[in-house]
Amino acid sequence: MKRLVLVVAAIVVVGVGAWLLAVRMESPQQAAARAEPPAPEPVVVALDHGYLNGPVSMTVEAQNQQSVTITPPAALTGVVTSVDRSVGDTLSPGSVPFRVNGRPVFVLEGAFALYRDIRPGDEGDDVLALQKGLLAAGYALGRPDGTYGPRTQAAVRSMYRAAGYAAPEVAVGAPAAAVPSPGASAPETAAPDAAAPSDGTAVPAADAGAAAAVKGPGVLQSEVLTVPRLPAVVEGITTVGTSIVGDTGLLTLGTGQVVLTSTLPQGSVGALAVDATARFTDDSGADATARVTALEPTETGEVTVSLLTEGAVRAGSSYVLTIDNPAAEDGERLLAPVAAVVTRAGRTYVYVREGTEFREVPVEVEATVGGVAAIVATDEDADEDRDGDAVVVLGEGTEVRVG
C-alpha cells in the first residue's frame, strides 16, 4: 500500500513539473503573437440634430435708443437749489426734476424752447406748443388753439399746484412777472380772483387801475424746459450748487425704445447674424427673448451688436444672453463629425454601425463649419427595404464610424 502511495505522488510531481515547464517555455511565434497589441476597436460617434454654428453667450447693457442733453434757456440764470430726481428715474410730462433759485423747473414735451414769457391773452406758436405740452401732461384744456385763455391758465395753475407751488401771477396787458423770490414758493392758497398774487409776487402797474386788477397765471421761460419726447429716463442730472450758464448741461435724457447692446472683438462675432434670437432672464424673473437688429463695425475694429426685446428691462442694467442659433439658420440639421464622412469615387458615405458590422450609407454634405458637417442621407435604403436588408434611417443617435 505504501508503494502505491509513493507511485501516485511521483506521478503528481512529474505532472506538475511538466506543466510548469510548459508554461515557462514558448515558441518564438507564440512570444511574437503575445507581444502584438490587440486589434483596434473602431471609434464610433452618435449623430446629433442641431445648428452648424454652436451657441454663444454675451453680456449686454440696456440703454435707450436716443440720448439728448438739455441746456437752459437764456432766461434761466442763478443756482440749482434742489435736485429731486436721480439717474434711472423716469420723467413724465409736468415733472419737476430740480429747482433753481428756489423755484420749480418743469419739463414739458415740445419741439422748441419757449421764446418769451407768456401772459394771459397772448397768442402764437409758443402758446400752441405750451397747450400741447399741458395736454400730454394730462391737463384738460379743450382743443389747442394757440390762445392763452382761461382754460389754459387753469391748466397752468393745476400743474403748479400738483408740484406744490403757486403759479406766478401777472397782470393782463403787462409784462410777465419776474421770478418770485425764494420765499414765494409755498403752495397756492389764495383764490384765483384775489386782489394780489397768491405767491406774493408784486403785480406790475398798468396804465389803468382797472387793467391792473385783471390778472392771471403767467408762464415764465425760466421755469419750463421743453423735451422732444416724454416720458424719458434720466441718464444724467445737474447737482445742487451748480451755477447756470448758457451751455450748462442740466439734464441728459434717454428716450425711445430700450435696446440691448454689446461691443465685441471682430473675432468673437463669428457667424452671428441679424435676426438671430437670444434668450435671457428679464427684470421680472421671466424667460424673455431678444432679436439681433444690427451689427455695426466701430472705428476700433470691434463690432457693436444691438438687440430689441419686449422683456422687462431697465436702462443702465446688464443681462447675460444665450444665442442658440447665432447664424439664424433656417432650422436644425443632422450633424456628423467631418472625420466620419468618407469620399470615394465621387460619392460621399458614412458607415452606420449594425451590431459588430458597419453598413455604407451614401449621404450628401450640405455644409461644414469647423469639424462638423450637415448631412442628408441619399441611399434608397434609407426610405425602403431592399433585397431583404433592414431599413437604414439616419437620425439623432445613429452611431457611425469615425475614420
Side-chain angles (χ1 to χ4, degrees):
M1 183 67 180
K2 182 183 295 184
R3 180 177 297 177
L4 178 62
V5 172
L6 291 174
V7 170
V8 172
I11 293 172
V12 171
V13 170
V14 170
V16 172
W19 176 79
L20 289 174
L21 183 61
V23 170
R24 292 175 178 273
M25 296 180 62
E26 60 182 0
S27 69
Q29 292 79 10
Q30 290 173 322
R34 186 168 56 81
E36 290 180 357
E41 290 289 332
V43 177
V44 297
V45 296
L47 301 181
D48 192 16
H49 269 110
Y51 301 106
L52 271 171
N53 297 276
V56 298
S57 296
M58 68 179 71
T59 300
V60 296
E61 299 289 334
Q63 62 185 34
N64 293 95
Q65 282 182 308
Q66 300 171 337
S67 184
V68 58
T69 298
I70 308 300
T71 56
L76 182 58
T77 60
V79 63
V80 177
T81 55
S82 177
V83 175
D84 303 317
R85 294 291 188 273
S86 303
V87 172
D89 289 349
T90 298
L91 288 184
S92 56
S95 298
V96 178
F98 51 82
R99 286 177 282 176
V100 174
N101 303 332
R103 290 291 298 174
V105 178
F106 295 89
V107 290
L108 290 177
E109 191 171 284
F112 57 87
L114 298 183
Y115 50 81
R116 60 174 171 171
D117 294 335
I118 298 175
R119 64 179 186 271
D122 280 346
E123 297 180 356
D125 292 339
D126 54 345
V127 177
L128 182 62
L130 172 67
Q131 290 173 324
K132 292 179 178 179
L134 290 168
L135 282 173
Y139 298 105
L141 49 78
R143 182 177 63 84
D145 57 6
T147 299
Y148 190 53
R151 299 187 70 174
T152 306
Q153 296 169 41
V156 169
R157 285 188 188 277
S158 296
M159 181 178 71
Y160 272 88
R161 186 182 298 113
Y165 294 88
E169 298 286 333
V170 297
V172 177
V179 178
S181 64
S185 60
E188 183 176 0
T189 55
D193 57 352
S198 60
D199 61 359
T201 304
V203 179
D207 291 339
V214 180
K215 56 182 174 35
V219 178
L220 307 181
Q221 290 177 273
S222 60
E223 294 187 357
V224 175
L225 293 178
T226 53
V227 178
R229 185 174 179 179
L230 289 171
V233 176
V234 177
E235 296 180 346
I237 191 166
T238 187
T239 57
V240 173
T242 299
S243 296
I244 297 176
V245 295
D247 59 351
T248 302
L250 298 177
L251 278 173
T252 301
L253 300 178
T255 62
Q257 188 171 1
V258 175
V259 296
L260 306 175
T261 63
S262 181
T263 301
L264 304 175
Q266 179 68 55
S268 299
V269 174
L272 188 61
V274 171
D275 288 333
T277 300
R279 52 186 173 84
F280 69 104
T281 302
D282 66 14
D283 283 347
S284 69
D287 293 334
T289 60
R291 182 177 61 86
V292 177
T293 57
L295 298 168
E296 300 175 345
T298 68
E299 294 180 354
T300 60
E302 297 175 307
V303 176
T304 298
V305 183
S306 299
L307 306 95
L308 288 179
T309 180
E310 294 182 358
V313 294
R314 177 186 174 95
S317 299
S318 62
Y319 306 87
V320 177
L321 307 185
T322 299
I323 304 178
D324 297 314
N325 181 16
E329 300 172 47
D330 293 338
E332 294 185 342
R333 291 184 274 191
L334 189 61
L335 305 179
V338 170
V341 181
V342 178
T343 300
R344 187 179 68 255
R347 299 194 67 182
T348 306
Y349 305 88
V350 294
Y351 291 87
V352 177
R353 183 175 189 173
E354 293 184 337
T356 59
E357 303 295 327
F358 291 88
R359 181 191 293 190
E360 183 181 78
V361 177
V363 296
E364 177 186 347
V365 176
E366 294 184 319
T368 62
V369 173
V372 181
I375 62 173
V376 177
T378 59
D379 190 5
E380 292 179 2
D381 285 347
D383 298 318
E384 61 183 54
D385 190 11
R386 189 173 64 181
D387 299 331
D389 292 334
V391 175
V392 175
V393 178
L394 297 183
E396 186 171 9
T398 300
E399 292 186 329
V400 296
R401 188 177 69 197
V402 176

